[in-house]
C-alpha cells in the first residue's frame, strides 16, 4: 500500500479509533479494525523458536540453537536460514510478528540473557542479527530488533538507568540496531531500562537516530508493560503499547489528546506505522490465502542438526597419542558418556524466550544412536540429582484420574466446585485455561518417588497458596507479589517449599492450590526435588565408567537456576561439584573429552587438564545428533567464540550488573569483550574468535589496497593454507588498529570476516570486505561520524588474540573534505 493510501485509512479513523489501535487487545494480539480492513496482529517470542499465542507445553515448537551458538558459526547464510525456519514456525502458528532477534551485547558474562544475545562485538552481532532479520522477513513475518537499547543485564531491569557515553552508545550499543534498520527490520522493541535518564519507551533516541537519521519506517513496540506513563511516552516516538487491553494509554491517552497534551498528529504517525506493518505481514485488506508448509519436517531437523555442529567450538584438542578428536568409531568398543547434562541437557535458556520442544535428543541418545548396537555406551551422571525443585512431569507424576504421565489441572469456583479439568504434561501451568468464575487453580498428581528420604515439594506463584499430601496440609500462606517484573510474575514465580519424608514406590496424592487473587500473575507451579544424594558415590560411579571405557565424553553445564531472563548470574563457576567431577574423570581417563553445555562463559579451572574441550552452548532440540556428528568427525566443529572466555571470574574486565543508586555506569566506554581484555593485565582462557576445527591453517599472505574506494570501503585478501590432514572451513578475521590516534579507540576492533574452505595442502583466498564504518569513529564534539585520515593497521588471523599478518593502509581525507575540517572527515548521516 502506498503512503497516500495508508494516510487515507488513518484519516478515516477518529481519535478514539486511533487510540484504540495503539494498545494491544490481549497478551499477544493487537486490535483489529474491520472498518479499515485491519485484522489483529499476532506476536510471539523468539529467538530460539516461536511459542505461539499460548504458553502450553502441549503446543510444541522447533527449538533452535541459542543465539550464542548461532553467532559462533560466523555464518550469515546459516543465520538467514535460521531466520527462515523461524518464519516457518511463525506462520505455522499464525504469528505475524516475531519478537526477536535480541541485539543487546555481551557486556558482561554475568548477564542473565547472555545466551539470548549474539556476541560481545557489535559487528558480529549486527551481521548475525541482520541475517536473521532477512530470513524472518523473507518469510512474510515481521522481525523485532530488541531491546532498544543498552538492556545488557537484568538486575533492576525495569528501572535501571544505564549511563553510557555518546561514543560508546553509537559505536557499540546502537550499532547492531542501526544494521537492523539497514536490513529493513519492520519492528523495534523499546527496552524497559533508562538510558542517560530517559526511560526507553519515552526516549529521544526513538526519534533520533532511530526514526530520523536512520529512517526506520516500522513500529516501535514497547517491551511488555514498558509504557508506564501516558503523555511522555505518547509524545515520544513510541508507537504501540503491549500487552493490553489495560495500559497507560487507552482512555488516558484519549483524554490527553482531547486536552491537547498530546497532538492528534502524533497518533496519526503511530497508526500509519501500524497499518504499514499490517500491510507488510498481510493483515490489511483482503485476507491472504491459507499458508501450507511445503518443506518436510525431516529437512528442518536436518538443518537444526547442521546448525549444532556449525556452532560448536573446539577450543582444545590434545591427547595421549595426538588429538583425541574426532573419535575413530572403528576403534571404539566401550564409550562412557558422563555428566549431569549428558542425559538431561539444557537445550535453551530461561525466560520469555522459552519454547516447548516436541523432542530433545540428548548427548547420550545422540551418541548411542550414532555408535549403533555394537558399541557399549555407559552412562553415569557423576553428581547427585539437583536439590532444586523441578516441575512435576514424566515418570515421577501421574494424573490421579486418568493414570497418564503428567498432572490433573482443575479450575474451581469460590465454593470449590470444579469448573474445568484438563490433563497437562507438566506441573508448570503458566497460563491456565480462561474460565469465567474461576477462583482457584489446582494441580493434582499421584507422586511415586523412586528413592526413600526427605523430599522437597514446592508450589510456585503469588497469592494464597496451599499444598496438601494425602489430605494433610504441609504448606499454606499468602505470598504477596514483590515485583513488577513480568517474567517473575507470569513465567518463573518463586517457590515456597516443604520437606517431608517419602518412601520409594509408595503413591502419594499431592494437591497444590493457588487462589486467583487480582494482581498475582497467572503462573502456578507444582514441583519436587529428591532427597540429597551421595556425591562420593556418584563420583565413584563416574570414575569407574571412565576407567572401563575406550573413550570418555563428559557433559557439564549450568542448571535452570542460572542463565535466565529476570536475573543476572552471581557466579561463573559450574555448580554442584562439577569441577571436581571433571578432575576426577580426566584423572581416570587421560583422553577425556569435555563438552560445556551453557549459554555463556563458565570458569574452566581444569581446562588444561583435559584432552579436548568443546563449547556446545544451548544447542536446541537436535543437540545430541549434532554433537555426535562432531565427535565422530562426520562434521567439523565449525564454531569460533563470539565472546571471550575467562580463566576465572575475577579476571573478567567488565563484570558489574548491579546498579548503584539506580544507575549502572558503562564507565569502560568502548572497551567491552576482547577490547577490554586487550587493555587488561590477565590473558583470557580463549579469545573472541578462537576455535580450532579439525584441520590446521597457515596464514600466508595479506594484501591490502593502496587506498580506500570512493564509498569509503575496501577489500582485504588473505591467503591461507590448509596444513592439516582433512578438508576444513576457516573463519578469516580482519581487525583494524590505529596506533597513533587523537581519538578514543579500542586497541583493535573487528572490521570484517569471511570463511573459506580448502582441502589438505590447498590454499584459499578469503576476500574480506571492510565497510566504511569500520574506519569511522563517532565524534562527541561534532555529534557525527568522522574518519581520522592517516595510517590504520590491518591485522588478519584466527582470533582477537592470534593475528599473524599485518599491513598498513593509508586513509586520505576525501577531496570534498579537504577544504573543510582538517583532521577529521565528516560523513553526513
Ligand atoms: C521480555 C521481552 C519479551 C516480552 C514478551 C519481556 O519481559 O523482556 O524480550 O519479548 O517480555 O514476552
Amino acid at each position: 500500500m502506498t503512503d497516500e493510501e495508508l494516510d487515507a485509512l488513518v484519516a478515516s479513523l477518529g481519535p478514539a479509533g486511533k487510540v484504540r489501535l495503539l494498545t494491544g487487545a490481549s497478551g499477544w494480539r493487537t486490535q483489529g479494525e474491520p472498518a479499515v480492513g485491519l485484522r489483529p496482529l499476532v506476536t510471539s517470542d523468539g529467538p530460539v523458536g516461536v511459542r505461539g499465542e499460548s504458553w502450553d507445553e502441549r503446543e510444541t515448537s522447533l527449538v533452535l540453537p541459542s543465539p550464542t551458538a548461532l553467532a559462533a558459526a560466523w555464518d550469515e547464510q546459516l543465520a538467514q536460514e535460521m531466520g527462515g525456519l523461524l518464519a516457518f514456525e511463525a506462520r505455522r502458528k499464525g504469528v505475524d510478528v516475531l519478537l526477536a532477534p535480541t541485539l543487546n551485547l555481551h557486556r558482561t558474562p554475568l548477564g542473565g540473557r547472555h545466551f539470548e544475545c549474539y556476541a560481545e562485538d557489535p559487528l558480529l552481532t549486527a551481521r548475525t542479527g541482520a541475517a536473521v532479520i532477512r530470513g524472518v522477513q523473507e518469510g512474510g513475518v515481521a522481525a523485532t530488533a530488541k531491546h532498544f537499547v543498552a538492556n545488557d543485564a537484568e538486575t533492576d531491569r525495569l528501572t535501571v538507568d544505564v549511563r553510557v557515553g555518546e561514543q560508546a552508545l553509537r559505536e557499540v550499543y546502537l550499532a547492531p540496531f542501526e544494521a537492523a534498520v539497514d536490513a529493513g527490520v519492520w519492528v523495534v522493541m523499546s527496552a524497559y531500562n533508562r538510558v542517560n535518564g530517559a526511560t526507553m519507551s519515552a526516549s529521544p533516541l526513538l526519534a533520533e537516530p532511530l526514526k530520523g537519521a536512520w529512517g526506520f519506517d516500522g513500529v516501535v513496540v514497547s517491551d511488555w508493560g514498558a509504557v508506564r506513563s501516558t503523555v511522555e511516552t505518547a509524545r515520544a516516538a513510541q508507537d504501540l503499547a503491549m500487552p493490553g487491553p489495560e495500559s497507560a494509554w487507552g482512555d488516558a491517552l484519549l483524554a490527553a489528546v482531547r486536552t491537547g497534551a498530546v497532538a492528534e498528529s502524533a497518533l496519526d504517525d503511530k497508526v500509519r506505522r501500524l497499518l504499514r506493518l499490517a500491510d507488510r505481514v498481510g493483515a490489511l485488506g483482503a485476507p491472504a490465502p491459507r499458508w501450507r508448509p511445503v518443506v518436510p519436517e525431516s529437512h528442518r531437523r536436518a538443518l537444526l542438526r547442521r546448525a549444532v555442529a556449525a556452532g560448536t567450538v573446539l577450543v582444545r584438542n590434545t591427547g595421549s597419542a595426538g588429538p583425541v578428536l574426532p573419535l575413530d568409531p572403528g576403534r571404539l568398543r566401550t564409550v562412557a558418556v558422563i555428566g549431569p547434562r549428558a542425559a538431561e541437557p539444557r537445550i535453551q535458556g530461561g525466560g520469555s524466550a522459552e519454547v516447548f520442544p516436541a523432542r530433545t535428543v540428548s548427548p547420550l541418545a545422540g551418541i548411542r544412536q550414532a555408535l549403533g548396537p555394537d558399541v557399549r555406551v555407559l552412562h553415569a551422571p557423576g553428581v547427585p540429582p539437583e536439590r532444586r525443585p523441578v516441575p512435576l512431569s514424566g515418570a515421577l507424576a501421574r494424573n490421579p484420574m486418568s493414570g497418564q504421565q503428567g498432572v490433573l489441572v482443575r479450575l474451581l469456583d469460590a465454593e470449590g466446585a470444579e469448573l474445568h479439568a484438563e490433563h497437562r504434561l507438566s506441573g508448570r501451568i503458566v497460563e491456565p485455561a480462561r474460565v469465567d468464575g474461576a477462583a482457584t487453580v489446582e494441580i493434582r498428581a499421584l507422586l511415586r518417588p523412586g528413592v526413600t528420604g526427605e523430599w522437597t515439594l514446592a508450589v510456585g506463584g503469588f497469592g494464597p497458596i496451599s499444598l496438601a499430601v494425602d489430605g494433610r496440609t504441609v504448606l499454606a500462606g499468602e505470598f504477596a507479589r514483590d515485583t513488577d517484573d513480568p517474567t517473575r510474575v507470569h513465567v518463573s514465580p518463586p517457590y515456597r517449599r516443604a520437606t517431608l519424608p517419602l518412601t520409594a514406590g509408595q503413591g502419594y496424592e499431592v494437591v497444590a492450590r493457588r487462589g486467583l487473587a487480582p494482581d498475582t500473575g497467572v503462573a502456578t507451579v507444582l514441583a519436587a526435588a529428591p532427597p540429597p544424594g551421595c556425591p562420593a558415590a556418584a563420583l565413584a560411579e563416574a570414575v569407574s565408567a571412565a576407567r572401563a571405557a575406550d573413550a570418555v565424553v563428559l557433559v557439564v553445564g549450568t542448571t535452570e537456576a542460572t542463565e535466565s531472563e529476570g536475573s543476572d548470574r552471581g557466579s561463573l563457576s559450574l555448580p554442584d561439584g562439577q569441577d571436581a567431577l571433571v578432575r576426577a574423570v580426566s584423572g581416570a581417563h587421560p583422553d577425556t573429552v569435555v563438552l560445556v553445555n551453557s549459554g555463556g562463559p563458565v570458569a574452566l579451572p581444569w581446562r588444561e587438564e583435559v584432552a579436548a574441550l568443546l563449547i556446545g552452548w544451548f544447542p536446541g532440540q537436535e543437540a545430541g545428533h549434532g554433537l555426535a556428528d562432531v565427535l565422530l568427525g562426520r562434521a567439523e566443529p565449525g564454531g569460533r567464540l563470539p565472546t571471550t572466555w575467562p580463566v576465572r571470574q575475577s579476571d573478567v574486565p567488565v563484570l558489574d550488573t548491579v546498579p548503584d543508586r539506580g544507575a549502572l555506569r558503562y564507565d569502560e566506554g568502548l572497551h567491552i569483550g576482547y577490547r577490554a581484555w586487550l587493555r587488561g593485565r590477565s590473558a583470557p582462557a580463549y579469545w573472541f574468535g578462537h576455535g580450532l576445527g579439525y584441520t590446521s591453517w597457515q596464514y600466508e599472505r595479506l594484501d591490502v589496497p593502496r587506498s580506500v574506494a570512493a564509498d569509503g570501503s575496501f577489500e582485504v585478501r588473505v591467503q591461507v593454507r590448509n596444513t592439516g590432514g582433512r578438508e576444513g572451513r576457516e573463519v578469516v578475521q580482519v581487525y583494524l588498529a590505529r596506533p597513533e590516534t587523537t581519538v578514543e579507540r579500542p586497541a583493535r576492533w573487528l572490521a570484517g570476516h569471511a570463511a573459506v574452505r580448502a582441502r589438505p595442502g590447498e590454499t584459499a583466498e578469503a576476500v574480506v570486505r571492510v565497510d566504511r564504518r569500520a574506519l569511522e569513529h563517532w565524534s562527541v564534539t561534532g555529534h557525527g561520524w568522522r574518519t581520522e585520515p592517516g595510517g590504520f593497521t590491518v591485522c588478519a588471523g584466527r582470533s582477537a588474540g592470534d593475528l599473524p599478518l599485518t599491513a598498513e593502509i593509508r586513509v586520505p581525507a576525501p577531496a570534498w573534505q579537504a577544504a573543510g575540517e582538517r583532521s577529521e572527515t565528516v560523513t553526513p548521516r
Side-chain angles (χ1 to χ4, degrees), residues 50-110:
V50 185
R51 199 171 48 245
E53 271 191 280
S54 60
W55 198 300
D56 186 322
E57 72 287 349
R58 296 165 298 184
E59 306 285 326
T60 59
S61 309
L62 288 177
V63 189
L64 282 59
S66 60
T68 36
L70 184 55
W74 294 60
D75 184 342
E76 285 160 56
Q77 174 62 33
L78 180 69
Q80 192 159 337
E81 286 179 69
M82 288 292 137
L85 208 54
L86 289 168
F88 172 91
E89 284 288 273
R91 306 208 54 180
R92 181 171 74 80
K93 296 198 165 213
V95 167
D96 305 297
V97 179
L98 178 73
L99 303 174
T102 306
L103 297 181
N104 303 115
L105 290 181
H106 295 166
R107 173 174 176 266
T108 148
L110 294 178

Side-chain angles (χ1 to χ4, degrees), residues 421-717:
E422 62 179 343
H423 176 74
R424 298 291 294 259
L425 306 174
S426 157
R428 181 170 174 222
I429 307 300
V430 173
E431 275 173 357
R434 284 202 188 95
V435 179
D436 283 347
T440 301
V441 182
E442 180 192 274
I443 309 174
R444 192 177 271 265
L446 190 65
L447 189 79
R448 205 173 286 283
V451 280
T452 298
E454 240 0 72
W455 280 72
T456 304
L457 298 181
V459 186
F462 292 105
I465 276 169
S466 69
L467 176 67
V469 178
D470 286 344
R472 185 170 69 87
T473 301
V474 295
L475 180 75
E478 174 85 37
F479 298 101
R481 167 172 160 175
D482 58 3
T483 172
D484 285 335
D485 193 309
T487 298
R488 202 165 143 83
V489 178
H490 301 296
V491 180
S492 307
Y495 288 162
R496 326 290 162 176
R497 295 153 203 250
T499 50
L500 62 165
L502 302 179
T503 307
Q506 196 171 314
Y508 298 87
E509 190 163 44
V510 182
V511 181
R513 288 197 176 142
R514 190 174 77 83
L516 293 171
D519 274 342
T520 56
V522 289
T524 313
V525 190
L526 174 55
C534 172
L539 197 63
E541 191 196 4
V543 166
S544 82
R547 288 215 174 101
D550 317 313
V552 177
V553 179
L554 172 54
V555 190
V556 292
T558 54
T559 69
E560 307 271 330
T562 58
E563 297 195 275
S564 186
E565 181 179 337
S567 59
D568 292 311
R569 296 165 74 186
S571 161
L572 295 185
S573 294
L574 285 172
D576 305 330
Q578 293 183 82
D579 287 337
L581 173 67
V582 177
R583 288 200 157 111
V585 169
S586 63
H589 199 295
D591 286 342
T592 295
V593 176
V594 177
L595 170 74
V596 179
N597 175 203
S598 66
V602 295
L604 308 166
W606 36 258
R607 69 188 206 286
E608 287 180 349
E609 299 161 35
V610 301
L613 180 54
L614 288 160
I615 291 166
W617 316 106
F618 294 147
Q621 66 174 62
E622 301 300 313
H625 286 328
L627 172 66
D629 290 344
V630 164
L631 291 171
L632 301 178
R634 294 175 185 164
E636 190 181 29
R640 305 290 186 265
L641 293 176
T643 210
T644 304
W645 277 50
V647 177
R648 59 186 76 78
Q649 182 165 334
S650 54
D651 292 346
V652 176
V654 180
L655 206 54
D656 60 321
T657 59
V658 181
D660 177 15
R661 278 160 292 163
L664 185 62
R665 313 190 74 88
Y666 285 17
D667 285 341
E668 71 286 348
L670 308 175
H671 313 286
I672 63 166
Y674 62 89
R675 301 159 168 215
W677 284 95
L678 286 166
R679 288 153 52 103
R681 260 170 295 158
S682 14
Y686 305 109
W687 284 101
F688 171 83
H690 176 65
L692 297 172
Y694 280 156
T695 188
S696 51
W697 300 89
Q698 173 106 22
Y699 277 69
E700 295 188 334
R701 218 183 54 231
L702 166 63
D703 290 326
V704 297
R706 288 240 179 83
S707 61
V708 301
D711 69 354
S713 68
F714 63 98
E715 261 177 19
V716 172
R717 287 167 190 272

Side-chain angles (χ1 to χ4, degrees), residues 24 26-30 42-45 51 97 99 144 146-147 157-158 187 189-192 221-228 240-244 352 484-487 490 565:
S26 68
W28 304 108
R29 281 183 180 231
T30 63
V42 177
T43 67
S44 178
D45 273 309
R51 199 171 48 245
V97 179
L99 303 174
T144 303
K146 72 184 187 183
H147 311 82
R157 65 175 173 153
L158 303 189
V187 182
M189 183 188 283
S190 58
Y192 288 125
V221 66
S222 68
D223 200 342
W224 262 225
V227 166
R228 289 161 290 194
L240 174 64
M242 284 298 286
S352 60
D484 285 335
D485 193 309
T487 298
H490 301 296
E565 181 179 337

Side-chain angles (χ1 to χ4, degrees), residues 229-269:
S229 68
T230 306
V231 173
E232 197 195 4
T233 49
R235 279 188 184 163
Q238 176 70 50
D239 298 317
L240 174 64
M242 284 298 286
E246 287 83 35
S247 97
W249 285 4
D251 291 345
L253 177 54
L254 188 55
V257 172
R258 295 224 159 105
T259 63
V262 174
E264 192 174 342
S265 58
L267 303 186
D268 291 348
D269 184 54

Side-chain angles (χ1 to χ4, degrees), residues 61-405:
S61 309
L62 288 177
V63 189
L64 282 59
S66 60
T68 36
L70 184 55
W74 294 60
D75 184 342
E76 285 160 56
Q77 174 62 33
L78 180 69
Q80 192 159 337
E81 286 179 69
M82 288 292 137
L85 208 54
L86 289 168
F88 172 91
E89 284 288 273
R91 306 208 54 180
R92 181 171 74 80
K93 296 198 165 213
V95 167
D96 305 297
V97 179
L98 178 73
L99 303 174
T102 306
L103 297 181
N104 303 115
L105 290 181
H106 295 166
R107 173 174 176 266
T108 148
L110 294 178
R113 294 177 92 168
H114 190 285
F115 68 90
E116 209 185 305
C117 310
Y118 294 115
E120 68 186 15
D121 179 80
L123 184 69
L124 183 60
T125 302
R127 291 200 173 167
T128 312
V132 169
I133 289 165
R134 287 195 297 272
V136 171
Q137 295 192 167
E138 266 171 19
V141 173
T144 303
K146 72 184 187 183
H147 311 82
F148 186 83
V149 60
N151 182 185
D152 310 293
E154 293 296 282
T155 307
D156 297 343
R157 65 175 173 153
L158 303 189
T159 53
V160 58
D161 185 12
V162 172
R163 298 297 173 99
V164 50
E166 187 180 331
Q167 191 185 358
L169 195 56
R170 291 288 185 149
E171 292 184 22
V172 180
Y173 297 99
L174 284 171
F177 290 94
E178 186 176 4
V181 174
D182 281 347
V185 75
W186 292 339
V187 182
V188 168
M189 183 188 283
S190 58
Y192 288 125
N193 52 286
R194 295 170 177 270
V195 171
N196 298 330
T199 194
M200 282 313 302
S201 53
S203 167
L205 294 168
L206 299 176
E208 204 57 70
L210 178 64
K211 289 184 178 175
W214 295 355
F216 173 62
D217 67 356
V219 168
V220 174
V221 66
S222 68
D223 200 342
W224 262 225
V227 166
R228 289 161 290 194
S229 68
T230 306
V231 173
E232 197 195 4
T233 49
R235 279 188 184 163
Q238 176 70 50
D239 298 317
L240 174 64
M242 284 298 286
E246 287 83 35
S247 97
W249 285 4
D251 291 345
L253 177 54
L254 188 55
V257 172
R258 295 224 159 105
T259 63
V262 174
E264 192 174 342
S265 58
L267 303 186
D268 291 348
D269 184 54
K270 299 178 201 300
V271 173
R272 188 183 305 113
R273 287 168 179 272
L274 188 69
L275 295 179
R276 185 182 292 131
L277 171 64
D279 186 39
R280 284 171 164 165
V281 299
L284 193 61
R290 215 180 114 68
W291 177 82
R292 285 209 179 75
V294 284
V295 188
E297 171 84 19
S298 56
H299 280 55
R300 291 187 288 280
R301 287 188 181 165
L303 175 56
L304 291 179
R305 177 176 185 158
R306 176 154 67 79
V308 174
T312 300
V313 188
L314 177 66
V315 293
R316 175 178 171 83
N317 194 9
T318 65
S320 49
V324 60
L325 289 178
L327 301 172
D328 177 356
R331 301 176 65 167
L332 301 175
R333 293 287 160 270
T334 306
V335 175
V337 184
I338 299 174
R341 303 272 75 88
E344 291 176 9
R346 278 195 84 188
I347 62 164
Q348 58 181 323
S352 60
E354 269 176 78
V355 295
F356 300 99
R359 71 167 198 176
T360 296
V361 184
S362 70
L364 179 61
I367 293 169
R368 266 208 179 112
Q369 192 172 324
L371 291 174
D374 296 339
V375 179
R376 209 168 133 231
V377 176
L378 309 173
H379 169 60
V383 296
E386 257 189 81
R387 294 289 297 127
R388 209 178 46 86
V390 293
L392 290 188
S393 67
L396 186 61
R398 288 187 180 271
N399 178 329
M401 290 296 287
S402 64
Q404 292 164 281
Q405 290 195 347

